[in-house]
Amino acid sequence: MARYLVYQSYMKPSEIRGELPDVINEYVANDSDIRWHYTFTKNIESAYFFDDCEIELAKEIAVLWNMKIKQLEV
């Protein structure tokens, strides 16, 4: 059985000149009311993990919010 995360990545400029930018990941949060409203979190421990039976919903959210899906092996 696999679990899935819906996430987006973006880069934030480094505060130190000449350093590489920081990559920030945001996930759909587990306090979201799925199909009604969504909140986002940068903490993976607070992310909503989709099960196999919710993969279609995860794909729908990813398309609507221009996000990606990451499969986690459990």
Side-chain angles (χ1 to χ4, degrees):
M1 181 171 141
R3 294 169 71 186
Y4 303 89
L5 284 172
V6 177
Y7 74 101
Q8 64 183 354
S9 299
Y10 59 91
M11 291 191 285
K12 178 181 157 190
S14 177
E15 295 177 9
I16 301 171
R17 186 176 173 101
E19 292 286 324
L20 293 173
D22 298 323
V23 177
I24 308 296
N25 290 317
E26 284 189 337
Y27 309 94
V28 173
N30 61 10
D31 62 348
S32 299
D33 184 4
I34 302 300
R35 293 194 185 267
W36 184 251
H37 73 85
Y38 305 97
T39 57
F40 302 100
T41 181
K42 293 177 183 146
N43 183 357
I44 195 168
E45 293 176 1
S46 299
Y48 186 90
F49 294 96
F50 293 86
D51 292 327
D52 285 332
C53 63
E54 298 175 307
I55 187 63
E56 291 302 318
L57 177 60
K59 288 178 183 177
E60 181 180 328
I61 293 169
V63 168
L64 288 174
W65 289 95
N66 195 24
M67 299 175 91
K68 299 175 186 170
I69 297 175
K70 181 186 293 186
Q71 182 177 352
L72 305 172
E73 295 300 324
V74 179

